Amino acid sequence: MECTHCGSSKYIKNGVYKNSQRYRCKECNRYFSDKVRKFTYADKRKALDLYLSGMGIRAIARFFGCSHPLIIRWIRVFASSVRSDLHAAQDTLQANQVPEVIEMDEIYTRVKKGLASSGMGFLFPAAR
């Protein structure tokens, strides 16, 4: 078995959660379990590539055989990691190298059944 985050084979046991053995990686200090994941990191990366190339969220969900809120969650996690990377890089980069606005897509969604209005959310707010 290898660490699911860095691929290292140096790990120690670190308790049990819901009948699944937990491990802590000695290289990256992250936790993982022996439970088999339904979707690998490569699947998530492929879903993000499909999304960024213009495929719809529901179509991606049908392709992977999962729900569309799961795909939206993957996209939001990716967006927050990019946002935090931009904020971390903002100190080291010059002012003209940091983009003023980054926008991936707009999501229009009906919040409750029967409501006439829909909400809009930007995944990337302006990086300042």
Side-chain angles (χ1 to χ4, degrees), residues 29-116:
N29 288 325
R30 294 181 75 175
Y31 297 92
F32 62 97
S33 69
D34 58 358
K35 222 167 138 179
V36 178
R37 292 179 177 262
K38 183 172 181 181
F39 298 105
T40 63
Y41 292 112
D43 292 337
K44 293 177 184 181
R45 185 175 297 128
K46 179 66 176 172
L48 288 170
D49 288 341
L50 292 172
Y51 175 73
L52 293 174
S53 65
M55 191 171 183
I57 291 173
R58 290 181 186 267
I60 296 169
R62 280 191 299 272
F63 179 77
F64 283 102
C66 63
S67 64
H68 66 277
L70 180 62
I71 302 296
I72 292 171
R73 190 177 333 138
W74 292 348
I75 293 167
R76 287 186 177 154
V77 167
F78 173 71
S80 68
S81 70
V82 169
R83 187 180 305 120
S84 64
D85 289 347
L86 272 177
H87 287 299
Q90 205 167 17
D91 298 332
T92 59
L93 296 176
Q94 296 175 1
N96 60 353
Q97 292 177 326
V98 177
E100 189 68 26
V101 175
I102 296 177
E103 187 175 319
M104 279 176 43
D105 194 4
E106 299 173 6
I107 298 176
Y108 294 91
T109 211
R110 194 173 289 257
V111 177
K112 287 188 179 177
K113 192 174 185 177
L115 286 178

